[in-house]
Amino acid sequence: MNKYLVVAVIFVVIIITSLSFYYQLQLRQERENHKQSCSQIMLLYDMLKEEQEVLMKNEGCMVSKSLYLTDLKNQKIKIDSLFSEGPFLVLFFSSSYCNDCVNYCLTQIKDFMTKQGFNKIILFASGYQLRDLYVFARSNQFNDKCFYSMNSLNIPIEETNMPFMFIMDEKLMPSHFFIPKKEIPEQTERYLNFINEEINSTALFYENK
């Protein structure tokens, strides 16, 4: 009888020890996950804070009316002629920027154009061969009139080395700057929806002038 009791006690001790070890591992994993989550939140907070400081530097900037761009037909276009009919959403990107970030922005814009029927968009590309832009536009079913090659807008936000979006109208004063992040897709979606409403409301004003 004592033999069976000893075995039972040992069995119970093993079960308790195993459960204790299991819960300790679970607790340790939860703490690690929480720590990583907090680190990610702080990283995003720092990124967004730094981004806001960068965006503020661009408020009140003007783009030169003497600036020329090149369309996909290799023709020179004066920049103010592109915005004579009201504001457009502009995406600026460069061949020196993060390639994944550029592709993310272009994909998001293409999806938005398709879903919302949004067509008031202009893409400014810097540092690309015109042939490469032409092939890209055709393969992704972008309108040729969306793409323009240029060197620089000469505004501070270009120094972030990240593709960025903004609104620009006939005054050539860019506003509503935004740097899309593929880690926060819902932020990009909210921005595009907001811009869609802004541009549509402004378009009604131009139609009634």
Side-chain angles (χ1 to χ4, degrees):
M1 188 67 179
N2 290 338
K3 179 179 179 181
Y4 291 114
L5 181 60
V6 170
V7 171
V9 170
I10 293 174
F11 179 75
V12 170
V13 170
I14 292 174
I15 294 296
I16 293 174
T17 303
S18 299
L19 287 173
S20 176
F21 181 70
Y22 171 77
Y23 283 118
Q24 285 179 9
L25 284 178
Q26 287 291 99
L27 184 60
R28 186 181 303 171
Q29 185 63 45
E30 288 177 5
R31 287 175 177 171
E32 186 65 28
N33 291 340
H34 179 71
K35 183 178 178 181
Q36 290 179 358
S37 178
C38 289
S39 297
Q40 290 174 352
I41 291 172
M42 289 304 300
L43 177 61
L44 281 175
Y45 173 79
D46 291 339
M47 288 171 60
L48 292 173
K49 182 180 177 182
E50 181 179 349
E51 177 183 307
Q52 288 302 313
E53 293 174 355
V54 170
L55 297 182
M56 288 298 294
K57 293 179 182 179
N58 295 273
E59 292 299 322
C61 289
M62 293 285 291
V63 175
S64 173
K65 292 184 178 181
S66 62
L67 182 64
Y68 279 85
L69 307 95
T70 305
D71 65 15
L72 293 186
K73 295 180 180 179
N74 202 25
Q75 296 178 334
K76 295 292 184 182
I77 305 290
K78 200 173 181 182
I79 192 168
D80 58 358
S81 67
L82 298 176
F83 301 94
S84 59
E85 297 182 0
F88 279 74
L89 172 65
V90 180
L91 169 66
F92 181 94
F93 59 98
S94 169
S95 60
S96 64
Y97 291 177
C98 162
N99 192 55
D100 288 342
C101 300
V102 171
N103 288 334
Y104 166 75
C105 290
L106 292 170
T107 299
Q108 292 297 307
I109 283 180
K110 180 60 181 176
D111 289 346
F112 188 74
M113 292 173 69
T114 302
K115 293 176 182 177
Q116 301 293 334
F118 185 79
N119 57 7
K120 299 207 68 176
I121 183 163
I122 294 176
L123 308 175
F124 288 162
S126 173
Y128 292 87
Q129 294 292 327
L130 205 59
R131 180 185 66 256
D132 295 335
L133 289 180
Y134 180 84
V135 171
F136 181 87
R138 288 303 175 89
S139 62
N140 290 276
Q141 299 180 337
F142 274 103
N143 189 312
D144 289 357
K145 294 182 179 180
C146 288
F147 275 91
Y148 294 89
S149 175
M150 64 179 310
N151 291 324
S152 172
L153 289 168
N154 293 316
I155 53 179
I157 195 171
E158 293 177 52
E159 298 175 4
T160 62
N161 292 323
M162 296 288 289
F164 57 90
M165 301 179 190
F166 58 93
I167 291 180
M168 192 152 69
D169 60 15
E170 76 281 359
K171 296 178 183 178
L172 299 185
M173 181 179 288
S175 64
H176 299 78
F177 285 96
F178 176 67
I179 300 175
K181 291 182 174 59
K182 59 182 184 295
E183 300 88 355
I184 322 176
E186 60 275 10
Q187 190 183 50
T188 303
E189 184 178 355
R190 286 197 297 268
Y191 174 80
L192 291 174
N193 285 325
F194 170 75
I195 294 302
N196 188 24
E197 293 177 3
E198 284 286 302
I199 290 182
N200 284 338
S201 62
T202 308
L204 291 174
F205 170 77
Y206 276 84
E207 290 175 3
N208 295 325
K209 284 180 68 175

